[in-house]
Amino acid sequence: MPLDPRSQTDPVTASAVRAGFQPRLLGREIHYFDSIDSTNKFLRQAAARGAPEGTVVLAEEQTAGRGRLNRTWESLPGVGIHLSLLLRPPAPAGPLYLYTFLPAVAAARALRAVSGLPVFIQWPNDVMLRGRKLAGVLSEARSSQGQLREIIVGVGMNVNHTPADLPASLRETATSLAMASGRTFSRAAVVRAYLGEMDRGYEALRQKRGGEVLEAWKRLCPSHLGKPVRVQGGSAGTVRGCTRGVDEDGALLVEREDGGLERIAFGEVRRVRAL
Ligand code: BT5
C-alpha cells in the first residue's frame, strides 16, 4: 500500500522521534519500518536473538497488527502509532500485572499531556476517551525456569484518524485525538511522551516502588471502584454489578446484584455508566 501522505508531514520515524529526545533506558535503540506484519512479533524474534533491553520498534503500518486473544488491531498508516518495546526485568520482577497496568498508565498520561483531553483507563489496560477506545496494549511475557525473562510491551494509539479512516465496525466504539478535538497532533511527540512515562514507571517497578504505578493506575481508572459495570468474563460469562477494586493480582472485583463477589482475572468491561 502506498504510504498515506500524512506520514510525510507528520513522520513517526526513528529520526523524528529522536529529535529533541534524551533516551534514558527505553529508546536508545529504535527500529523503524514503513510496513511490517506486527511490531510485537518482530520484537519477540529480535529479543530471542539478544536485542538489548529498551529496544523500540515502530511501524508506520502493520499488516497483521494483533490485539489480545487473536483479535486484530487496525493499524493505519499516516495517523496511528504502532510501537513495541522490550523489557528484561531483573529477578524478582514483582507482580506481573503491574507490567500490564504500566503501559496503560504511560499511554494515558502521554496522550493527556500532548492533547489536554480527558483520557482514562478501563480495566485492565484499555485507554479510553469519552467512552471510546483510543489506545490498546498487548503485553507478552516470556518466562523460563519460573523466572520472567522478558516482556514485549506493544501499544497501538489512535492519533490523527478521521472517522473515514476507521473501518465501519469500529466507528461507534473507537476514537482518535483528532476526532475528539478537531485538531491534529505530532505522533513523534506522543511517542516521546510515552517513552518518557514508560521509563519513569519502569524505574519505579525495578526499585520496588510498584505502589506508585498502582496508585497512578487507580487515579486514571476511576471505574475500578464503586461504578456499575457489565463485564465479560467471570464464572457465568457476563457479570453485572458494582466494581469493588482490584485484588493483589490485578483482578477486578465486582459485587453482583445478588450480593456475591466475583473475581475477574481475564475479561473485558463492556459498559460503565458515568465515565
Ligand atoms: C488491544 O487488544 O487493545 C491491544 C492492541 C495492541 C496493538 C499494538 S500495535 C503495536 C503492537 N503490535 C501488535 O501486533 N499489537 C500491538 P484488545 O483488547 O484485544 O482489543 C482489540 C479490539 O479493539 C478489536 O477486536 C477491535 O474491536 C478493537 N480495535 C481494533 N483496532 C482498533 C483501533 N485502531 N482503535 C480502536 N479499537 C480498535
Side-chain angles (χ1 to χ4, degrees), residues 9-256:
T9 53
D10 173 34
V12 73
T13 55
S15 55
V17 169
R18 279 196 200 106
F21 176 59
Q22 296 289 329
R24 294 203 295 175
L25 174 60
L26 311 181
R28 282 188 204 155
E29 195 168 299
I30 303 179
H31 300 266
Y32 167 79
F33 297 90
D34 281 343
S35 182
I36 199 172
D37 50 0
S38 154
T39 55
N40 263 38
K41 185 173 164 204
F42 175 87
L43 189 50
R44 208 172 47 235
Q45 290 159 354
R49 293 192 300 269
E53 175 165 62
T55 298
V56 167
V57 181
L58 274 166
E60 185 63 67
E61 172 192 50
Q62 292 186 118
T63 53
R66 288 184 300 117
R68 297 174 298 154
L69 310 167
N70 278 330
R71 289 187 289 230
T72 301
W73 185 257
E74 296 293 335
S75 308
L76 289 151
V79 288
I81 292 171
H82 319 109
L83 183 157
S84 299
L85 60 84
L86 174 62
L87 304 181
R88 297 187 188 277
L96 192 54
Y97 79 91
L98 288 178
Y99 289 86
T100 71
F101 280 13
L102 171 60
V105 169
R109 279 186 165 169
L111 290 160
R112 271 177 179 243
V114 167
S115 70
L117 291 164
V119 179
F120 287 101
I121 297 172
Q122 186 165 279
W123 179 89
N125 55 14
D126 282 344
V127 178
M128 309 293 289
L129 176 52
R130 301 189 179 127
R132 291 168 177 239
K133 189 152 165 169
L134 178 68
V137 174
L138 177 65
S139 289
E140 299 179 288
R142 188 180 68 82
S143 305
S144 69
Q145 291 156 355
Q147 288 281 331
L148 181 62
R149 301 290 166 185
E150 70 205 19
I151 307 184
I152 311 288
V153 181
V155 65
M157 300 191 247
N158 298 340
V159 179
N160 289 326
H161 301 54
T162 65
D165 290 317
L166 293 170
S169 58
L170 293 180
R171 271 187 210 142
E172 301 296 313
T173 56
T175 190
S176 72
L177 292 183
M179 283 165 64
S181 67
R183 293 182 289 146
T184 57
F185 298 87
S186 155
R187 290 180 298 161
V190 177
V191 169
R192 285 191 289 268
Y194 172 75
L195 292 177
E197 292 291 348
M198 278 299 294
D199 229 316
R200 258 190 298 283
Y202 183 45
E203 192 173 333
L205 292 185
R206 279 178 300 159
Q207 293 178 353
K208 312 287 172 238
R209 292 186 281 112
E212 290 175 18
V213 174
L214 182 58
E215 285 312 310
W217 181 89
K218 285 181 177 170
R219 277 196 300 277
L220 286 163
C221 184
S223 59
H224 81 284
L225 192 60
K227 293 287 188 309
V229 283
R230 180 162 68 83
V231 189
Q232 195 151 38
S235 56
T238 299
V239 184
R240 278 168 199 280
C242 187
T243 51
R244 292 285 177 243
V246 289
D247 72 5
E248 66 286 353
D249 295 319
L252 185 66
L253 302 173
V254 178
E255 186 178 334
R256 290 192 309 262

